[in-house]
C-alpha cells in the first residue's frame, strides 16, 4: 500500500482544503495510507546565515522522505499560492531537499468558481524550480470550486462527477508514483546537483 | 513626489534592501523615497487577523500617503519570498491600500538571469483583484550577479546599470503622475463644502453644541484642555497656555482658525467686536462657518474654502473696503496642512496695511502717486464703499466673505452699497 504525505497548504483554522484532504484520507483508506501534515507552526523564513533549519521543518522533511509521494492541497490567495505554503517550501529547500525526485500531486479548493487554477499553476512553477525539483504529475488538475458548498455534514464530497474525477486522478497518481520509481537513472546526479547548489557560495 | 520602497526580505542581509537604499540615496533629488520595514509583519493567517496591529497599520498609513511604491524582490524557488507575499496578503485581506497605486518592480539575484521569474509572478499577484495595484508595464530592472554588483560603499559599480536604473526611475515618476491623475476622484466641486459642519475631523469635539455661546468652556471641559500655566510643546518651543495667549493676542492682526470641518474654533480675542476690522464675538467661537456669514455670501465662502482645500491656491487675498479712506484692510486666507500635506483648515489673517505703507513712505521719503495706466481704481473703489461703512450696520462677520473676487474685488460699482450684501461683492468673477 502506498504511503502519502498530504500537505494542508494553509494555516487557516477553517479550511476547505483541509476538508478535502481529510475526505481523501477517509475515502481512499483501502487504497493508500494518507498522513495529513500541517505547516502552520513553521516560523517565517528569514534565510538564517547559520543555515539552521527549525525542528518542525526537519520533521516534515523526514515525513516526506519516508513517503512514496506528496499531495499538496492549495488555497488561492491573490491569484497565487498562500504565503504560508511558499514559506514551507522555502524551508524545505534550504540546505535540505526532501522534494528531489519526489512524486507530487497538486490539488486545490477555492470559494469561487475557478478552484485555484492560478494558484496551482504557481505552485507547479515553484515545485519545478531547481532547488525543489519535484516530479509533478503532468497533465492533471483537480480544481474544487465553490468549496464551501462541496461537502456534506459528514465531510463527504457531494458532487459525484467531481468525486469520480478525483478517484481517477488518485489512481493515476498511484500509477505515476510507480512509474517514477523506474525513472531513477538520473536520481543520483540530480541529488548531487541539488547538493551543490549553495547560495552562500555562489 | 513621495515614494515608499519595500524590500521583500526579512533576512539580516539582503541585496534587495541594499539596492533600494542605493536608489533612495542616489536619486534623492528626483523623488523622496522612504524605505518601509516589513520585519515585524507576522506571517499571514486568516484565522488570526492582525490587520489592526501596528506592523500592518504602519504599512497601510505609509502606502496610503505615498504617490507610488517601489518593490525590490528577491527570488526564492522561482517566485517571490513568503515574507513579501505575506505582506501583500495582509494588504489585500480586510484593507486594500495598494488599490490603484502605481508600482515599480525591481529585483536582485545571485544569478545572471536573477529575479526575472519572481518579477513576473509579482506582477501577476499585484494585479489580482484583491490587491489591484497598477504595475508599470514594460520596464524590468534585473540586477543579476548581485554579489559583485556593489562596491565597499554599497554603490552600484557599473555605470550603464546606474544609467538604466535612472531611466527606469524617471519613466516611473512620469507613470506615477499619469496614473494618479487618472485615479483622482471626481472633484465634488465647491457646492459640496458643508458650512454647517455636519462632518467631523479627528479633532472635532463631539457631543457639544457648536452653536452654544459657551462652546469653548464646554468643549474644554470635555477634552480636559490644557489651560493657564499648563505647558504646551510646540514646533519649535515650549510655552504655557497663558504665554500662548499673550503671544497670539499681541499679534498686530486679527487671526481666525477655521478647521477642515469648516468649524470656526478660535480667534485671538484682544479687541471688542466693535473695534475689530472683522468683528467676532466670544460667543461665536465653535460655530459652524455658516453661522458667521450672511446667506448671500455663502456660495463665495464655499468657493474660497474649496480652492484652499483642494490646493488650487495656498493663499487667497481679499481687500475688504468699507472701513474708511484711511484704511486698507486685507483679509488673507491661508490653507493649513499637516506634515503629510493633508488639509487642516484655514488661518485667516485680517489687518490694515496702511500703517505699513505709510511707515515705508515716510521713512524712504516717497509718496503715493496714481498710476495713469491702472485699470482698477482701488482707491476710489474703496472710498465709494466707505459710504456704506458710515452706516451703522456693519457687516456682522465677514471672514471668508466675498470669496472669489481676488482679481478685482472693488471694481464692481454696480453693486448696491448695502453692508450685508457687501460681502458678496465682486464674488462671481472667480466662479
Ligand atoms: C488574502 C486573500 C486572498 C484571496 N484571494 C483569492 C483569489 O485570488 N482567488 C480565489 O479564488 N479566492 C481567493 N480568496 C478566497 C479563499 O480564501 C480561497 O478561495 C481559498 O482557496 C479557500 O481555501 P480554504 O477553504 O482552504 O481556506 C482569498 C482569500 C484571502 C484571505
Ligand atoms: C530557498 C532559496 C531559494 C532560492 N531560489 C532562487 C531562485 O529560484 N532564483 C534565484 O535567482 N535565486 C534564488 N535564491 C538565491 C537568492 O536568495 C536570491 O538570488 C535573492 O534574490 C537574493 O536577494 P536578497 O539578498 O535580497 O535576499 C534562493 C535562495 C534561497 C534561500
Amino acid at each position: 500500500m502506498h504511503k502519502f504525505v498530504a500537505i494542508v497548504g494553509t494555516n487557516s483554522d477553517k479550511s476547505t482544503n483541509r476538508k478535502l484532504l481529510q475526505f481523501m484520507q477517509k475515502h481512499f483508506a483501502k487504497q493508500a495510507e494518507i498522513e495529513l501534515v500541517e505547516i502552520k507552526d513553521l516560523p517565517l523564513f528569514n534565510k538564517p546565515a547559520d543555515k539552521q533549519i527549525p525542528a518542525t521543518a526537519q520533521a516534515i522533511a523526514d515525513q516526506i522522505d519516508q513517503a512514496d509521494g506528496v499531495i499538496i492541497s492549495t488555497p488561492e490567495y491573490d491569484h497565487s499560492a498562500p504565503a504560508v505554503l511558499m514559506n514551507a517550501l522555502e524551508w524545505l529547500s534550504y540546505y535540505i531537499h526532501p522534494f528531489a525526485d519526489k512524486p507530487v500531486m497538486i490539488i486545490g479548493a477555492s470559494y469561487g468558481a475557478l478552484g485555484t487554477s492560478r494558484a496551482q499553476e504557481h505552485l507547479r512553477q515553484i515545485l519545478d524550480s531547481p532547488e525543489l525539483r519535484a516530479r509533478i504529475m503532468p497533465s492533471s488538475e483537480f480544481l474544487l470550486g465553490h468549496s464551501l458548498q462541496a461537502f456534506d455534514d459528514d465531510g463527504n464530497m457531494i458532487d459525484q462527477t467531481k468525486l469520480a474525477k478525483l478517484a481517477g486522478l488518485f489512481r493515476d497518481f498511484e500509477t505515476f508514483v510507480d512509474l517514477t520509481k523506474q525513472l531513477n537513472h538520473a536520481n543520483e546526479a540530480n541529488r548531487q546537483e541539488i547538493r551543490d547548489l549553495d547560495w552562500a557560495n555562489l | 513626489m513621495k515614494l515608499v520602497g519595500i524590500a521583500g526580505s526579512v533576512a539580516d542581509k539582503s541585496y534587495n534592501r541594499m539596492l533600494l537604499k542605493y536608489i533612495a540615496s542616489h536619486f534623492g533629488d528626483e523623488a523622496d523615497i522612504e524605505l518601509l520595514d516589513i520585519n515585524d509583519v507576522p506571517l499571514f493567517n486568516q484565522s488570526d487577523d492582525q490587520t489592526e496591529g501596528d506592523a500592518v497599520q504602519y504599512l497601510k498609513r505609509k502606502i496610503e500617503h505615498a504617490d507610488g511604491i517601489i518593490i525590490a524582490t528577491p527570488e526564492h524557488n522561482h517566485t517571490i519570498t513568503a515574507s513579501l507575499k505575506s505582506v501583500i496578503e495582509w494588504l489585500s485581506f480586510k484593507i486594500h491600500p495598494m488599490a490603484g497605486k502605481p508600482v515599480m518592480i525591481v529585483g536582485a539575484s545571485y544569478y545572471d538571469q536573477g529575479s526575472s521569474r519572481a518579477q513576473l509572478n509579482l506582477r501577476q499577484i499585484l494585479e489580482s483583484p484583491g490587491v489591484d495595484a497598477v504595475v508599470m508595464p514594460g520596464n524590468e530592472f534585473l540586477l543579476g550577479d548581485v554579489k559583485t554588483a556593489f562596491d565597499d560603499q554599497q554603490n552600484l559599480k557599473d555605470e550603464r546599470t546606474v544609467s538604466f536604473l535612472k531611466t527606469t526611475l524617471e519613466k516611473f515618476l512620469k507613470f506615477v503622475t499619469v496614473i494618479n491623475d487618472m485615479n483622482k476622484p471626481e472633484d465634488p466641486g465647491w457646492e459640496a463644502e458643508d458650512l454647517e459642519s455636519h462632518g467631523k475631523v479627528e479633532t472635532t469635539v463631539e457631543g457639544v453644541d457648536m452653536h452654544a455661546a459657551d462652546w469653548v468652556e464646554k468643549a474644554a471641559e470635555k477634552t480636559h484642555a490644557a489651560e493657564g500655566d499648563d505647558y504646551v510643546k510646540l514646533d519649535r518651543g515650549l510655552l504655557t497656555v497663558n504665554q500662548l495667549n499673550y503671544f497670539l493676542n499681541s499679534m498686530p492682526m486679527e487671526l481666525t482658525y477655521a478647521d477642515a470641518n469648516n468649524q470656526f474654533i478660535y480667534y485671538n480675542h484682544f479687541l471688542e467686536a466693535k473695534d475689530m476690522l472683522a468683528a467676532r464675538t466670544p460667543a461665536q467661537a465653535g460655530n459652524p462657518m455658516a453661522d458667521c456669514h450672511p446667506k448671500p455670501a455663502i456660495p463665495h465662502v464655499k468657493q474660497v474654502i474649496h480652492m484652499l482645500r483642494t490646493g488650487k491656491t495656498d493663499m487667497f487675498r481679499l481687500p475688504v473696503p468699507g472701513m474708511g479712506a484711511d484704511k486698507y484692510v486685507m483679509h488673507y486666507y491661508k490653507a493649513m496642512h499637516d506634515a503629510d500635506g493633508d488639509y487642516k483648515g484655514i488661518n485667516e489673517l485680517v489687518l490694515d496695511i496702511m500703517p505699513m505703507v505709510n511707515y515705508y513712505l515716510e521713512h524712504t521719503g516717497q509718496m503715493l502717486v496714481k498710476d495713469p495706466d491702472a485699470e482698477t481704481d482701488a482707491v476710489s473703489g474703496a472710498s465709494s464703499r466707505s459710504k456704506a461703512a458710515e452706516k451703522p450696520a456693519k457687516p456682522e462677520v465677514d471672514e471668508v466673505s466675498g470669496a472669489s473676487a481676488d482679481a478685482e474685488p472693488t471694481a464692481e460699482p454696480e453693486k448696491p452699497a448695502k453692508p450685508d450684501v457687501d460681502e458678496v461683492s465682486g464674488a462671481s468673477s472667480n466662479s
Side-chain angles (χ1 to χ4, degrees), chain B residues 1 30 36 81 99 115 120 134 179 289 291-292 350 367 372 378 405:
Chain B
M1 183 163 306
E30 325 210 7
L36 305 183
T81 55
S115 85
L120 218 69
V134 188
I179 295 300
M289 281 171 84
D291 289 17
C292 315
V350 177
M367 58 191 231

Side-chain angles (χ1 to χ4, degrees), chain A residues 7-11 37-42 60 84-85 87-88:
Chain A
I7 297 180
V8 181
T10 178
N11 47 3
V37 165
E38 298 285 350
I39 54 175
K40 60 185 170 208
D41 294 327
L42 295 171
I60 297 174
V84 69
L85 178 54
N87 186 59

Side-chain angles (χ1 to χ4, degrees), chain A residues 18-113:
Chain A
R18 190 179 292 114
K19 263 193 183 170
L20 174 57
L21 289 175
Q22 283 165 343
F23 168 73
M24 287 173 73
Q25 186 179 38
K26 198 172 62 172
H27 192 79
F28 300 123
K30 289 205 189 81
Q31 252 168 283
E33 186 190 329
I34 300 177
E35 186 181 6
L36 260 61
V37 165
E38 298 285 350
I39 54 175
K40 60 185 170 208
D41 294 327
L42 295 171
L44 182 59
F45 181 72
N46 61 350
K47 212 171 155 180
D50 63 5
K51 306 180 186 177
Q52 275 303 311
I53 294 141
T56 38
Q58 189 58 58
I60 297 174
D62 294 344
Q63 278 177 291
I64 294 173
D65 269 339
Q66 265 136 56
D68 296 307
V70 179
I71 305 167
I72 304 180
S73 191
T74 181
E76 178 168 298
Y77 287 176
D78 304 328
H79 288 186
S80 48
V84 69
L85 178 54
M86 295 165 67
N87 186 59
L89 295 174
E90 280 175 299
W91 283 119
L92 295 174
S93 58
Y94 196 56
Y95 299 103
I96 49 174
H97 304 284
F99 277 102
D101 291 327
K102 187 68 65 180
V104 176
M105 176 183 188
I106 299 175
I107 59 177
S110 79
Y111 299 167

Side-chain angles (χ1 to χ4, degrees), chain B residues 46-85:
Chain B
Q46 166 178 354
S47 312
D48 182 14
D49 187 359
Q50 301 280 327
T51 306
E52 294 302 321
D54 289 346
V56 177
Q57 286 297 313
Y58 155 83
L59 291 178
K60 169 182 184 270
R61 238 185 358 261
K62 290 290 181 186
I63 289 171
E64 278 174 350
H65 279 115
D67 298 305
I69 310 169
I70 304 177
I71 301 181
T73 180
E75 178 167 300
H76 285 181
N77 300 333
H78 285 186
T79 187
I80 67 172
T81 55
S83 52
L84 177 57
K85 179 73 201 303

Side-chain angles (χ1 to χ4, degrees), chain B residues 14-261:
Chain B
S14 158
Y15 285 103
N16 281 283
R17 206 177 299 130
M18 200 184 288
L19 173 61
L20 269 187
K21 277 194 184 140
Y22 174 80
I23 294 175
S25 66
H26 196 76
F27 301 108
D29 290 344
E30 325 210 7
D32 168 14
I33 305 171
E34 183 184 1
L35 263 60
L36 305 183
D37 195 340
I38 62 167
N39 280 307
D40 296 331
V41 179
L43 184 53
F44 179 81
N45 186 338
Q46 166 178 354
S47 312
D48 182 14
D49 187 359
Q50 301 280 327
T51 306
E52 294 302 321
D54 289 346
V56 177
Q57 286 297 313
Y58 155 83
L59 291 178
K60 169 182 184 270
R61 238 185 358 261
K62 290 290 181 186
I63 289 171
E64 278 174 350
H65 279 115
D67 298 305
I69 310 169
I70 304 177
I71 301 181
T73 180
E75 178 167 300
H76 285 181
N77 300 333
H78 285 186
T79 187
I80 67 172
T81 55
S83 52
L84 177 57
K85 179 73 201 303
S86 167
V87 166
I88 297 173
E89 286 173 5
W90 285 120
L91 300 178
S92 64
F93 181 39
K94 295 281 170 72
I95 51 172
H96 307 271
M98 298 176 87
K101 284 281 170 200
V103 178
M104 171 165 109
I105 299 175
V106 300
S109 146
Y110 298 165
Y111 283 109
D112 52 353
Q113 272 300 301
S115 85
S116 64
R117 302 180 195 85
Q119 290 198 27
L120 218 69
N121 251 181
L122 181 55
R123 185 178 288 277
Q124 197 178 348
I125 292 165
L126 291 171
E127 285 174 352
S128 71
V131 187
D132 200 24
V134 188
V135 187
M136 177 162 73
N139 279 287
E140 261 188 350
F141 182 81
L142 306 169
L143 187 61
D145 294 327
V146 71
K147 287 188 172 184
T148 57
F150 292 94
D151 66 16
D152 294 346
Q153 265 70 55
Q154 311 204 331
N155 287 316
L156 281 176
K157 285 192 223 158
D158 183 35
E159 285 295 325
R160 284 186 14 241
T161 307
V162 175
S163 111
F164 180 62
L165 186 56
K166 185 172 153 70
T167 316
T168 311
L169 184 71
E170 281 167 354
K171 253 190 207 159
F172 181 58
L173 297 181
K174 279 190 203 150
F175 182 74
V176 168
T177 309
V178 171
I179 295 300
N180 287 339
D181 218 44
M182 197 179 85
N183 285 343
K184 252 203 202 110
E186 201 60 42
D187 182 352
W190 61 266
E191 286 98 336
E193 284 295 339
D194 174 21
L195 299 196
E196 302 284 354
S197 315
H198 289 109
K200 105 180 167 67
V201 289
E202 63 272 32
T203 46
T204 301
V205 181
E206 292 183 275
V208 179
D209 179 11
M210 292 181 179
H211 304 276
D214 60 350
W215 176 86
V216 174
E217 285 69 30
K218 289 206 169 113
E221 195 185 327
K222 182 128 196 183
T223 55
H224 310 290
E227 61 180 320
D229 291 326
D230 293 343
Y231 286 95
V232 181
K233 188 179 174 202
L234 297 158
D235 177 19
R236 178 70 199 154
L238 184 76
L239 297 172
T240 65
V241 176
N242 281 334
Q243 286 176 312
L244 251 183
N245 278 323
Y246 309 148
F247 189 64
L248 291 165
N249 286 339
S250 60
M251 290 286 167
M253 64 189 78
E254 295 165 16
L255 298 170
T256 298
Y257 195 122
D259 72 13
N261 188 33

